[in-house]
Amino acid sequence: MNRQKTEPLLARPDPSSGEALYLQVARAVEEALRAGRLRVGDRLPAERELALDLGVSRTTVTGAYQELQARGILRGHVGRGTTVVGTPPDARHAALPWAQRIAPVTVQAMHVALTAPDGPGVIGFGVGLPDPHLYPVDTLDALLNALPRGDGSLYNPAPAWGDPVLREALSGWLRSRGIRAAPEEILVTTGGQQGLNVLARAFLTPGDVVLTENPSYPGAFLTFRWAGADIVGLPVDHDGVRVEALEEALARYRPKLVYLIPAFHNPTGAVLTAERRRRVLELAIQYRVPVIESDLYGDLFFEQDPPPALKAQDSSGVVIYQGGGSKLALPGLRVGWLVAPMPAMAALTVAKTFEDLHTAALTQRLAAAFIGSPHVERHLARLRVECRVRRDALVTALRQHCPGLRFRVPGGSYYLWATLPPPLTADALLPVAFEHGVGVRPGSAFSPNGGGADHIRLCFAAHPPDRIVEGARRLGRAIEEALAKLGSAPSPRVPLSASVV
Ligand SMILES: Cc1ncc(COP(=O)(O)O)c(C=O)c1O
């Protein structure tokens, strides 16, 4: 505890003030927190000791601690005393009930974004970002130093549709993946997430229906919902979206868009089969519905590459293809791309303009230098090997330390999607896992219409193998403890960090 010997930790309550003594003690604790005499993580004196110190009964102190626990400021551990876990609201913010001003979809997004427990000493499997050791740092540094400069063009605003050098480089790179896209059919976005914002802004009006897989990437279905759309989730099995369910939903809802992640679906890792891909295209043409093909993970195969992209077979112009650099271990460049038929490009470009005017020229030129060179394939080959080693480390460690988890071994990408041993839910597991120093993403974050409570997603790209093994060991202990605890004490609160990926 951080206090001078002379300074009392808490002000003594005043029995003549008319305010209940336990509330005065609770207020004194809050004041000590505001003044910095107490900090999060500090342990409070035992109830009996504090009662003596303040000249009140022990019941008063018990009442104050209970009140502060209910406010999320203290947490009591049997046998370990009472600890500060939160801070009181700042009095300056009392005039406006901010929480009541938040739009319902934002509240839902906050639940999703705040479900990746993080903190010092936590091995986080929750966030879908690669370990920085996987970035091609030396290559990027060399390319950055070699970028032509001197005329200031790197600092100019790039055209809204994207830097011409990057569009050219992407056109060539996509051709090597069977996608024929002229540079004019490519819109550069500030990351993949902005591609979704642009699509929503360009196409959706309140009341439209969008079909997505269920589960799916929350950054997509929440973005569509922000635009006022209703989301209808379609079942996914290990061969990707169930096409009979897609057909039924197309007929029933007449959706505005279909959003799919056919290659290494986030979160399940499913790969849509060639046969189902053909059927998806037939249905899109029959029902005249655009399909957004999210392909951020297709290059990250470990054993077998996925069938050709829907866009590679799209002779009718019904597919808008979405890619990006983040999952190719370039997350900080914030470069993504949409490939769309020409009639859609003007609307998408205007929508992009209203998002952020343009993506930085500097990062676009660097991405162009990388993607337009042989470096990109060398890097991808290494990335696949590194991610496969990490996947194998996780699979082996989960089998050893978490025998109750059920999962399919993913054939690519960053994620393993696991079913918890019944009756455990991710909500019950998360706080216990945090206490054991491991973070996972709850399955409910990926469900547009509820559900997923019995699943977790683990990102194995985020850590080197030895950390993965240690993380699995901690997770195993947490699962055992959470199962044992079910039905007993309420779960403690978990410190969170905001992330949607
Ligand atoms: C399917 C999908 N789309 C988009 C994104 C966001 O990508 P970016 O970091 O490029 O914005 C993610 C990140 O997890 C994702 O899984």
Side-chain angles (χ1 to χ4, degrees):
M1 247 175 268
N2 185 29
R3 65 179 162 135
Q4 308 278 312
K5 272 253 169 320
T6 50
E7 199 181 355
L9 175 65
L10 304 180
R12 274 180 162 249
D14 172 7
S16 65
S17 79
E19 188 185 9
L21 285 178
Y22 82 96
L23 287 178
Q24 291 190 53
V25 176
R27 192 157 38 75
V29 171
E30 291 194 338
E31 269 158 22
L33 275 160
R34 287 197 191 96
R37 295 195 299 280
L38 272 177
R39 301 238 167 107
V40 172
D42 282 350
R43 189 158 297 174
L44 284 188
E47 289 173 7
R48 193 188 305 274
E49 191 191 318
L50 186 62
L52 274 174
D53 240 27
L54 298 179
V56 295
S57 72
R58 185 173 168 188
T59 326
T60 299
V61 177
T62 309
Y65 282 9
Q66 279 173 353
E67 173 66 26
L68 290 165
Q69 288 200 35
R71 292 183 199 173
I73 292 172
L74 298 184
R75 188 194 298 162
H77 299 274
V78 180
R80 280 191 285 147
T82 303
T83 313
V84 179
V85 293
T87 48
D90 189 323
R92 286 172 304 168
H93 299 154
L96 222 167
W98 284 100
Q100 292 167 19
R101 296 287 186 279
I102 301 171
V105 58
T106 311
V107 173
Q108 199 196 350
M110 285 165 75
H111 283 302
V112 169
L114 298 176
T115 53
D118 206 356
V122 174
I123 299 176
F125 289 121
V127 178
L129 284 173
D131 172 2
H133 290 107
L134 301 177
Y135 304 167
V137 174
D138 292 345
T139 306
L140 290 176
D141 280 351
L143 293 173
L144 183 61
N145 287 331
L147 282 184
R149 57 185 91 177
D151 60 355
S153 63
L154 285 180
Y155 315 119
N156 273 340
W161 42 83
D163 177 74
V165 185
L166 179 56
R167 290 171 105 197
E168 193 67 51
L170 284 169
S171 173
W173 190 59
L174 289 166
R175 201 173 317 124
S176 71
R177 271 113 183 103
I179 296 172
R180 302 183 72 79
E184 307 78 63
E185 293 171 298
I186 300 172
L187 178 79
V188 176
T189 57
T190 304
Q193 181 58 43
Q194 192 188 58
L196 297 165
N197 296 344
V198 166
L199 288 162
R201 197 184 275 280
F203 292 121
L204 296 179
T205 45
D208 285 343
V209 170
V210 178
L211 305 184
T212 73
E213 289 126 332
N214 181 15
S216 183
Y217 170 57
F221 60 75
L222 288 168
T223 296
F224 302 146
R225 211 166 256 164
W226 250 304
D230 294 325
I231 309 299
V232 174
L234 305 170
V236 185
D237 61 26
H238 58 269
D239 288 334
V241 70
R242 298 266 293 277
V243 281
E244 72 287 356
L246 171 63
E247 180 165 15
E248 207 181 299
L250 285 166
R252 179 155 170 211
Y253 297 104
R254 300 281 159 178
K256 192 74 163 284
L257 296 174
V258 176
Y259 168 82
L260 299 176
I261 312 171
F264 305 118
H265 169 253
N266 180 6
T268 66
V271 177
L272 193 65
T273 59
E275 202 180 314
R276 288 195 189 178
R277 283 171 196 247
R278 269 194 299 281
R279 188 68 191 131
V280 168
L281 285 171
E282 281 168 13
L283 289 170
I285 294 165
Q286 184 185 337
Y287 286 90
R288 303 171 77 86
V289 182
V291 175
I292 314 300
E293 176 180 28
S294 165
D295 193 26
L296 274 75
Y297 298 99
D299 266 297
L300 298 173
F301 52 88
F302 303 152
E303 282 89 21
Q304 202 186 341
D305 54 343
L310 293 171
K311 187 69 189 162
Q313 306 164 68
D314 174 30
S315 49
S316 311
V318 291
V319 177
I320 295 183
Y321 177 90
Q322 189 206 10
S326 297
K327 308 304 167 181
L328 310 179
L330 310 167
L333 293 192
R334 304 307 300 141
V335 174
W337 45 90
L338 293 176
V339 179
M342 275 319 276
M345 278 307 277
L348 290 170
T349 307
V350 170
K352 154 73 181 175
T353 307
F354 279 81
E355 283 286 319
D356 68 348
L357 302 180
H358 55 88
T359 301
L362 181 59
T363 53
Q364 291 195 66
R365 283 289 161 90
L366 181 55
F370 187 68
I371 290 170
S373 77
H375 290 299
V376 68
E377 297 304 340
R378 280 201 288 273
H379 163 66
L380 283 177
R382 176 179 157 253
L383 187 61
R384 285 179 202 119
V385 171
E386 291 283 347
C387 288
R388 191 178 60 212
V389 167
R390 287 152 198 252
R391 180 218 40 198
D392 291 345
L394 182 64
V395 165
T396 310
L398 289 181
R399 285 185 178 144
Q400 186 180 349
H401 300 294
C402 310
L405 281 184
R406 284 189 297 113
F407 56 86
R408 287 181 75 88
V409 176
S413 165
Y414 286 4
Y415 311 116
L416 185 142
W417 179 243
T419 314
L420 293 167
L424 187 58
T425 62
D427 274 355
L429 172 65
L430 241 66
V432 184
F434 184 78
E435 290 201 335
H436 282 266
V438 61
V440 296
R441 178 80 84 183
S444 55
F446 301 90
S447 176
N449 311 110
D454 58 343
H455 278 81
I456 53 173
R457 189 197 73 175
L458 298 149
C459 173
F460 50 80
H463 302 286
D466 56 335
R467 294 286 288 165
I468 289 177
V469 173
E470 175 55 24
R473 196 175 288 132
R474 294 180 189 184
L475 184 61
R477 288 198 290 261
I479 290 174
E480 267 175 42
E481 191 180 314
L483 274 170
K485 260 187 166 177
L486 274 184
S488 58
S491 306
R493 288 154 62 97
V494 176
L496 301 162
S497 73
S499 137
V500 77
V501 296

